[in-house]
Amino acid sequence: MTATAVTIRPAAAYEHEAAARLLADAFTHDPLIRAATARASDPDTARATIFRTSLSTTLDQGGTVLVAVDEGSLLGAAIILDPARGRLRALAGRVRAGGRFLRMLPLLGGRGLTLLNDADRASRRHAPRDPHHVLTAVGVTAAARGRGIGRALVEATVDRARAHVDSWGVRLETENGENVDRYRRWGFTLVASVRVSTVPQTPVTVHVMTHPVREESTA
């Protein structure tokens, strides 16, 4: 069965927890998440908490969660942050997000939390100047991979940016180097690659990529 049989839609409230757990499983081997949870006493719980926090923070800032569903089964999910309306609102959103992630300090430890923060800062440092959407995370269940569901979720994110008159396009970050060529095939351009961890056992490089849907302003 192909992705054409799968429905992509906003997640219902009762699906948020399942979407967070799906993403936590999908990112089990992600270099950043693996390094951030390396010192946690329970890495599985820590990973689930990261995505639960990311999901709730994004919704709090007016973003959305898309899910891929086939006959009632959740096969994929994407967390998408919409452009903030105004710098003050964007700053307030980051402050609230920082407070939520800070509550994970006992779970992740200082090093884990710092890694997540450094990755986010690296991505924002190379962000487009104009308001844009951010594809915070996208993942597919192991059983559903190879069906084009990940691409369908990414394309739905780009379509969301096209439908938003104030959005320049989409930004994402990936710490998995194998994903860079995949996103390139889907219309994204690599903007920068930034090393955020120099620990030999857990190297982490943030690859920042963007997909424009309209011209960037010259202001």
Side-chain angles (χ1 to χ4, degrees), residues 32-92:
L32 174 63
I33 301 301
R34 190 172 63 233
T37 58
R39 298 185 181 183
S41 59
D42 186 346
D44 290 342
T45 297
R47 194 169 59 252
T49 302
I50 288 172
F51 286 97
R52 194 176 294 119
T53 302
S54 178
L55 187 151
S56 60
T57 298
T58 297
L59 291 173
D60 177 60
Q61 295 182 62
T64 192
V65 177
L66 295 181
V67 290
V69 181
D70 184 7
E71 296 182 351
S73 296
L74 196 66
L75 304 182
I79 301 176
I80 306 165
L81 182 62
D82 288 350
R85 295 185 179 277
R87 292 184 178 181
L88 187 59
R89 185 171 180 179
L91 178 60

Side-chain angles (χ1 to χ4, degrees), residues 139-169:
V140 177
T141 63
R145 288 169 192 163
R147 294 175 52 180
I149 295 172
R151 179 169 188 166
L153 286 164
V154 172
E155 289 178 345
T157 305
V158 174
D159 287 343
R160 185 176 177 87
R162 286 196 182 99
H164 195 301
V165 296
D166 295 326
S167 179
W168 171 86

